[in-house]
Amino acid sequence: MKIRHRQGAYPIIFTTLEVAREAVPAESFVVTDSHLSEKYVHHFRPDLPTLVVPAGETSKSMEQFDRILNWLARNGMRRHQHLVAFGGGMIGDLAGFAASTYMRGVPLIQIPTTLLSMVDSSVGGKVGIDLPSGKNLVGAFKAPTTVYICPEVLQTLPDREFTAGVAEVLKYGFIMDEPLITSLSKLPLMPGDGRLTEIIRTCISHKATIVERDEMDTSGLRATLNFGHTVGHAIETLQDFQGLLHGEAVAVGMATEAQISESLGLAPPLTRAAITATLSAHNLPTAIPDELSAKDLVQAMLSDKKSTGDGLALSLVGGIGTCKLRTGVNVDDVIRSIDELKRD
Ligand code: GLY
């Protein structure tokens, strides 16, 4: 599979970790996280300089970004050498952002190791870091030279991480692929599931269709991939990136945004119930954490990049399988919907 972008195209190669690591060019630099380093670093490419970043979303920070840049400079990385992001979404975003800025850009190889990063963040070129006031507020578009998908690494993924990744799989169904939801509702996706490789392929091809038509996120089409993310990012920000995992926050966000959609008359009745039932069948959370008020959430949502100043911008489903970016969504309507949901 190939993803076309404004400067060319890059392949998505489905393979094994063994093949991917042998394919990494000599003289590359590797960035990974502390969980993976325990599992793989001695087997990955011990011949290559490797920087280990603490696992967890809090590392998607200015501090770790600065650390990577200085490590590359101290170790004499040159412009033709590749930076390999070997890890989940945090590593892909953080190392990818370093690759987009170090010496004005060095080639980037993505080897995603979580379900979430395989189906979403490693594809499409968005890279970046968080600020205390919001998720992904600093970043760039940086197309990788190659993405290697090695489904076998999912076998050692902790159950909670796997389940969080399923939220992004279901998102594709909710926004554009009703049959995917029908089939996953009959038989929820589990670690080690024989359908995984095919499902990852389906999700990446959905993402390719979208990013090839709206790479720079300007027409509103790519924004539909953010269904559940405006509320999800607000939850992560208010929890200082130390509460729900990204995929879990997105699951709560999808249930919440489905309610907003229904309240605004944009989705038929029972859309939220159907979305919530599918998420729950996959052991994903759907309730807004008690300690977060509707007002605080909306305040955090206003710092989302899509927000334009005249209300909120939200990607809202029009039922299962369709989604559209809506701008100027009234803040009081959103607070009312969230309060309704919290009372339920
Ligand atoms: N993860 C959403 C996007 O790539 O646009």
Side-chain angles (χ1 to χ4, degrees):
M1 197 187 301
K2 267 202 160 62
I3 311 285
R4 286 184 300 274
H5 60 98
R6 63 208 146 112
Q7 287 150 341
Y10 55 91
I12 310 283
I13 299 176
F14 281 74
T15 186
T16 60
L17 188 56
E18 176 76 33
V19 170
R21 78 170 165 239
E22 289 312 316
V24 167
E27 301 195 345
S28 297
F29 287 70
V30 180
V31 177
T32 191
D33 75 32
S34 49
H35 286 164
L36 282 161
S37 74
E38 283 161 25
K39 271 197 248 173
Y40 293 111
V41 91
H42 302 300
H43 316 285
F44 187 68
R45 282 290 295 265
D47 56 318
L48 299 179
T50 300
L51 182 72
V52 179
V53 167
E57 181 71 21
T58 49
S59 282
K60 237 176 89 174
S61 63
M62 204 60 95
E63 184 193 343
Q64 294 299 330
F65 171 62
D66 175 274
R67 185 171 161 229
I68 296 175
L69 296 180
N70 280 296
W71 173 73
L72 296 174
R74 269 198 318 277
N75 286 281
M77 187 191 202
R78 309 306 308 163
R79 268 178 131 164
H80 66 281
Q81 293 174 307
H82 288 73
L83 187 58
V84 181
F86 177 56
M90 178 277 284
I91 287 292
D93 282 7
L94 172 69
F97 187 41
S100 77
T101 49
Y102 181 72
M103 291 191 164
R104 297 207 182 88
V106 293
L108 168 71
I109 294 174
Q110 293 268 18
I111 308 183
T113 57
T114 59
L115 181 57
L116 189 142
S117 55
M118 288 180 191
V119 299
D120 182 37
S121 54
S122 65
V123 176
K126 280 189 183 175
V127 292
I129 56 173
D130 304 330
L131 293 182
S133 45
K135 176 127 170 148
N136 296 335
L137 286 185
V138 182
F141 288 94
K142 170 73 180 168
T145 57
T146 312
V147 180
Y148 292 101
I149 305 284
C150 314
E152 101 246 24
V153 301
L154 298 179
Q155 282 164 18
T156 54
L157 200 62
D159 282 356
R160 187 173 170 204
E161 288 272 357
F162 178 86
T163 302
V166 175
E168 294 282 359
V169 171
L170 295 174
K171 176 194 77 180
Y172 289 104
F174 296 142
I175 67 170
M176 64 195 292
D177 188 350
E178 190 177 9
L180 180 65
I181 296 299
T182 309
S183 90
L184 291 179
S185 297
K186 281 189 200 127
L187 189 58
L189 204 50
M190 296 295 181
D193 199 305
R195 299 169 295 173
L196 263 175
T197 300
E198 233 10 78
I199 285 174
I200 295 168
R201 241 184 244 283
T202 301
C203 293
I204 295 179
S205 76
H206 285 326
K207 181 140 189 189
T209 307
I210 288 180
V211 299
E212 287 181 355
R213 286 166 60 197
D214 182 22
E215 183 186 354
M216 306 305 285
D217 207 0
T218 48
S219 75
L221 178 63
R222 185 164 182 168
T224 60
L225 291 167
N226 272 350
F227 173 52
H229 285 62
T230 308
V231 169
H233 287 171
I235 294 172
E236 288 183 274
T237 304
L238 292 173
Q239 293 185 327
D240 292 328
F241 304 106
Q242 297 181 68
L244 294 180
L245 297 177
H246 175 64
E248 294 169 337
V250 167
V252 175
M254 290 193 287
T256 309
E257 292 179 16
Q259 171 67 33
I260 296 169
S261 219
E262 245 185 80
S263 307
L264 295 176
L266 300 170
L270 300 180
T271 302
R272 197 257 299 178
I275 286 180
T276 302
T278 308
L279 294 167
S280 301
H282 285 86
N283 297 318
L284 282 158
T286 57
I288 295 169
D290 284 343
E291 71 280 9
L292 305 182
S293 74
K295 279 202 176 118
D296 287 346
L297 277 168
V298 168
Q299 197 53 44
M301 285 157 74
L302 285 167
S303 50
D304 187 273
K305 293 190 292 305
K306 290 186 300 310
S307 188
T308 51
D310 59 344
L312 289 159
L314 290 167
S315 292
L316 296 175
V317 284
I320 307 282
T322 63
C323 189
K324 206 169 163 192
L325 176 69
R326 309 276 173 172
T327 51
V329 179
N330 184 280
V331 165
D332 293 329
D333 288 343
V334 172
I335 293 179
R336 235 186 331 273
S337 298
I338 296 177
D339 276 335
E340 247 168 64
L341 205 54
K342 281 175 83 74
R343 272 196 302 274
D344 231 25

